[in-house]
Amino acid sequence: MQWSIAKEKVAINTSRIMVLLGVIVFWEAVSEIFGLVHPVWISSPSRIAKRLIEWIAGDLARHLAITLWETILGFSIGVLLGIALGLILGLYKRALAILDPYIMALNSLPRIVLAPLFILWFGIGITSKVVLIITMVLFVLLYNTIAGVRSIDQAYFNLMLSLGASLRHIMIKLVLPWCVPYIFAGIKLSIGMALVGAVVGEFLASNAGLGYLIAWSSSMFDTTGVFAGIVILMILAIAIDQGMKLLERKVQRWRPGT
Amino acid sequence: MRKAVMVKNLTKVFYKSGQEIPVLRNINLSVNEGEFVSIIGPSGCGKSTLLNIISGLLKPTSGEVFVSGERVNGPCTKVGYMFQSDLLLPWRTAIANVELGLEIRGVSKEERRKMAEAVIKSMGLSGFEHFYPHELSGGMRQRIALARTLVLNPTVLLMDEPFGALDAQTRTLLGNELLRLWRKYNKTIIFVTHDLSEAISLAQRVIVLSKRPATVKAEYRVDLPESRDVTKIVKEDSFLKLYSTIWRDLTEEIGGG
């Protein structure tokens, strides 16, 4: 039983690598080997690899650090604010009833329309990106936390009160841990968004970061540079996703079936 | 004899979409210290509301409740409350669930571990301390919930159909277990149920509530020995006689429209 699961895993991983290799070989063949499409349009894996090596030797680390810093900062603040507001609005139904339409309206705005305002207010440095990311992440966590609080049966609150719990106890020992799976779902959804927010923000106005790198390459009609930036973004996305899965398993060991 | 619980002229009215819904009407009852009383009534008659008020979770519309002579005004620490479902926190192990109330009351870590272990042992659940709720059977979960209540050493134990979700066999087993613990710790127990056989087989006194708005319709003394076996007692003549008498009362309430 265990053995066949392990074998299955190996088979899946092998096939994944085959898919990747297949795409790379096909791409290389189309552009470089047979010259079906000129590399000016679609670049090629070998050109991208060469460019990545050049970048790594150059100042990729600085751009990457700036993008990651914006992502982490905006994401963390957005998550904390979203959870805090979600707990308050989840517990105080009256407040939620009053604010609900405004939250809805704000959340349905495409954030990109706010970006020019943030650049105007906070400049082209990291602050404008961090604020943009916060506006994206906050609502996801807000809605998920509210849903988490709402899913707690009133009987649990009665139990806590009958045990002599204060509001602080109820928050720490019941509400917050109860919401952990909901918060996690929100985190998983929004961490990718945070990265997108950073890149989009940099795309619009900046002087450093991955988005800047891609925008700059694109303005030079340098497809290899654009693809090299995209590859780095994809690697980041995969790394973040794997990291989240690992963390989730650690935190939610008590759940049946994990 | 001292009174563990006194309920005086208790009335409760709920308000729902502008309408008054009277749930309890002028209820008077008193329970002696160390007594085991069961309360029975048609379903939806307000039994849980009565327990919520005695425990201090709900405020009465009028009337008063006293526990050990003190007027109840907000959640009362002398009262332990067991609910219809076990309400174990799924991310806590069995022993951590038992410790929940102790944590809230600020008992030190070593102290509460010791207390929780002792209660779990007395309930015959040693070895399951570090199991998560989803790894335990329904009966075990409800026993852990009972342990969580008992470890706080309440004078009065309120039980709201605590075995209602369990199968018949587990139910009688836990009934015997509860009687054993009641004799051992000498608690006052108010046990709400809609199962007449359970009400008689456990208690020394059965209080029958009318349909909503509930009042005390009748009271019966159960003349059965304190050390009884729930599985055997249901076949005795005195049990059967009492059963049919109370059953008449109940059918009046259920059928009497």
Side-chain angles (χ1 to χ4, degrees), chain B residues 175-190:
Chain B
N176 275 334
E177 181 79 16
L178 180 62
L179 283 176
R180 187 180 67 78
L181 290 166
W182 168 60
R183 285 192 299 270
K184 182 173 166 189
Y185 293 111
N186 197 31
K187 301 281 177 211
T188 308
I189 297 182
I190 301 180

Side-chain angles (χ1 to χ4, degrees), chain A residues 153 155-166 169 173-175 177-179 253-257, chain B residues 52 57 75-77 79 81 83 85-92 100-101 103-105 132 134 148 152:
Chain A
D153 194 321
Y156 281 96
F157 289 103
N158 281 344
L159 167 75
M160 294 302 283
L161 289 172
S162 81
L163 294 174
S166 62
H169 286 131
K173 297 192 189 298
L174 172 66
V175 178
W178 189 282
C179 290
R253 256 182 320 187
W254 54 269
R255 299 219 109 196
Chain B
N52 282 340
L57 288 173
C76 171
T77 49
V79 175
Y81 198 163
F83 300 85
S85 61
D86 55 68
L87 300 178
L88 297 180
L89 300 177
W91 57 88
R92 282 175 174 251
L100 181 63
E103 272 175 53
I104 287 168
R105 299 205 179 159
Y132 284 99
H134 76 266
R148 176 179 61 195
L152 296 171

